[in-house]
Amino acid sequence: MNKYKTQLKGLTLEELQSLFLEMGEAKFRALQVFNWMYNFRVTSFDKMENLSKPLRAKLKENYSLITLNFASSELSAGGTKKLIFETADGNKIESVIIPDEKRNTLCISTQVGCPLDCKFCATGLMGYKKNLSAGEIFDQYLLAQQHTERDITNIVYMGMGEPLLNYNATLNSLKIFAEALTKGITLKKTIVSTSGIAPKIIELADTGLKPKLALSLHSCFEKTRSKIMPINEKYSLKENLEAVAYYAMKTKTRITFEYIMLKGLNDRDEDIKALIKLTNQIPSKINVIPFNSLQHMHPTGFSASLFPTEKNRIEAFVQKLRDNDVTVMIRDTQGDDIAAACGQLALKFK
Ligand code: SAH
Ligand code: SF4
């Protein structure tokens, strides 16, 4: 197997150009290989017909085009499809295809597990194994497209892991989405969701790439947020709000605040007031997310004390926000019958 060779997939056009120049090859070869990998989606160097045979042999000897292998899939009643892929080093990750009338969204992972231990999150409960490479991140898209009849239209970095803790690979994968002919997927249709790694939010804003940004907010109060998201002790809400305000200003995009409804914890009237104030300060919208049960993971400690807000309270909460001119969407909990909904992505490590 070629698993010990360097992965070529995951390199941006610029990186491929440097590589080919280093190899003593012409710079335009980089674009040819880029197209083969990301646009024509070949998985063997032999199929790169416009490269000379010696160059193909040289590439084959040193590099691999295989990053992930499809392991299995599961289809939910609502049409959501969970895909499980295996990395060359034997780790399993998940991606989810979420179709609706207009879109066919792919939710991708950036890490195997997640080190951040958010109390409401199944991925957090399973711990952290490793970062994915840019190739492994992008390949989820190439492979997922083979498992859905419609073109994938949108990408959300909302699967397993914290994208901004795997910043370089995430950034490279975004560059490839921006450069490759991904059938209409632009960074305008790509959302990076973060629990709030403030310095990296600023760094991403300064790249000029402009993917949409979602901040997992979940509470407007530092103390409560720290209780459910320990990372808040390191990068406070205040710091993150300053960072996303900068992001919105720099990229001229609206921030999405993700807000899981947790009974008694963040669904009170004072939470509504705080959200109104916040959305008045930052160009944004709120994505209210019904809490997906973690009962299938038998949580202990603080996680065991978290319960979903009742449906009628969610509706009243959202109505009050809307009455105050806040833009709010309620996220569908598509796929929770197969544990493929957001925050339910967790696999047992071997
Ligand atoms: N690490 C990133 C992206 C992955 S999580 C982040 O935290 O933003 C993607 C989204 O799923 C986040 O908004 C997260 O808060 C949410 N999520 C996590 N656990 C959930 C659960 N049990 N129910 C509903 N949403 C959940
Ligand atoms: Fe990690 Fe995001 Fe889950 Fe928190 S919510 S543990 S950051 S994947």
Side-chain angles (χ1 to χ4, degrees):
M1 263 287 281
N2 48 14
K3 68 179 178 185
Y4 299 110
K5 293 180 188 168
T6 310
Q7 286 174 8
L8 204 60
K9 253 191 206 160
L11 296 193
T12 62
L13 185 56
E14 208 182 339
E15 288 172 334
L16 284 169
Q17 284 168 342
S18 310
L19 181 80
F20 278 92
L21 289 176
E22 261 170 45
M23 284 167 68
E25 298 286 339
K27 195 173 162 187
F28 75 90
R29 295 283 176 217
L31 185 60
Q32 290 178 327
V33 171
F34 183 92
N35 282 330
W36 282 120
M37 281 197 300
Y38 303 129
N39 296 333
F40 303 119
R41 302 165 191 195
V42 301
T43 48
S44 133
F45 289 109
D46 293 328
K47 297 218 171 97
M48 300 189 175
E49 287 158 7
N50 53 5
L51 305 188
S52 69
K53 282 218 171 113
L55 177 55
R56 278 187 242 170
K58 197 150 80 170
L59 290 172
K60 208 155 82 182
E61 201 183 308
N62 297 301
Y63 298 98
S64 154
L65 289 171
I66 305 292
T67 59
L68 298 176
N69 283 306
F70 172 73
S72 61
S73 71
E74 221 176 317
L75 188 65
S76 93
T80 292
K81 200 177 205 181
K82 176 160 81 172
L83 303 170
I84 299 179
F85 298 118
E86 192 169 341
T87 60
D89 54 8
N91 284 298
K92 295 235 170 83
I93 57 155
E94 298 185 343
S95 315
V96 186
I97 303 171
I98 310 151
D100 66 20
E101 274 165 32
K102 284 195 230 138
R103 290 170 293 254
N104 198 22
T105 301
L106 177 68
C107 176
I108 55 177
S109 296
T110 53
Q111 297 182 311
V112 182
C114 181
L116 290 189
D117 195 26
C118 299
K119 300 302 173 195
F120 46 78
C121 176
T123 310
L125 290 187
M126 87 190 227
Y128 169 73
K129 197 81 180 280
K130 66 160 213 157
N131 278 334
L132 294 180
S133 68
E136 288 163 341
I137 298 174
F138 189 78
D139 236 6
Q140 293 171 60
Y141 162 69
L142 293 184
L143 292 173
Q145 188 60 78
Q146 298 169 7
H147 293 269
T148 170
E149 280 171 21
R150 287 162 58 191
D151 285 348
I152 292 167
T153 57
N154 294 65
I155 303 288
V156 294
Y157 285 68
M158 293 185 187
M160 300 165 92
E162 168 48 53
L164 299 188
L165 283 186
N166 184 12
Y167 182 77
N168 291 340
T170 295
L171 189 65
N172 260 22
S173 67
L174 287 168
K175 284 184 186 164
I176 298 167
F177 274 118
E179 289 167 346
L181 301 175
T182 37
K183 295 200 177 171
I185 295 175
T186 61
L187 293 190
K188 277 189 188 141
K189 292 183 178 180
T190 302
I191 307 178
V192 176
S193 174
T194 178
S195 55
I197 313 294
K200 293 294 176 192
I201 293 175
I202 308 258
E203 225 176 301
L204 187 61
D206 288 337
T207 61
L209 281 174
K210 304 186 190 173
K212 288 196 178 150
L213 187 75
L215 178 71
S216 289
L217 178 67
H218 310 321
S219 172
C220 297
F221 300 101
E222 299 277 5
K223 254 195 179 160
T224 309
R225 196 166 186 269
S226 290
K227 258 198 217 164
I228 49 176
M229 303 176 72
I231 187 66
N232 194 61
E233 295 283 328
K234 185 159 184 202
Y235 303 112
S236 68
L237 182 56
K238 182 170 177 286
E239 206 183 333
N240 273 301
L241 292 179
E242 283 165 13
V244 298
Y246 178 78
Y247 193 91
M249 187 267 294
K250 254 321 254 275
T251 60
K252 299 192 174 62
T253 57
R254 275 208 290 179
I255 302 298
T256 300
F257 289 119
E258 295 167 287
Y259 200 89
I260 298 175
M261 300 293 296
L262 298 165
K263 191 174 177 176
L265 203 101
N266 65 0
D267 60 359
R268 307 152 310 162
D269 286 346
E270 57 199 287
D271 296 303
I272 299 179
K273 260 196 218 148
L275 282 171
I276 295 169
K277 193 170 159 214
L278 173 64
T279 47
N280 276 330
Q281 288 163 348
I282 298 173
S284 56
K285 57 184 174 198
I286 296 176
N287 198 343
V288 160
I289 310 171
F291 175 43
N292 290 319
S293 161
L294 298 184
Q295 292 313 309
H296 63 292
M297 300 201 54
H298 311 293
T300 54
F302 192 66
S303 298
S305 71
L306 298 176
F307 293 98
T309 301
E310 277 105 7
K311 208 169 169 232
N312 56 1
R313 176 62 192 158
I314 297 183
E315 278 161 14
F317 189 91
V318 167
Q319 195 52 50
K320 276 197 191 158
L321 289 169
R322 287 187 177 147
D323 290 345
N324 284 277
D325 296 326
V326 179
T327 310
V328 192
M329 321 254 295
I330 306 182
R331 186 183 292 169
D332 221 2
T333 45
Q334 270 239 35
D336 57 357
D337 54 334
I338 56 163
C342 286
Q344 289 190 318
L345 300 185
L347 292 153
K348 287 199 178 70
F349 292 139
K350 276 185 275 176

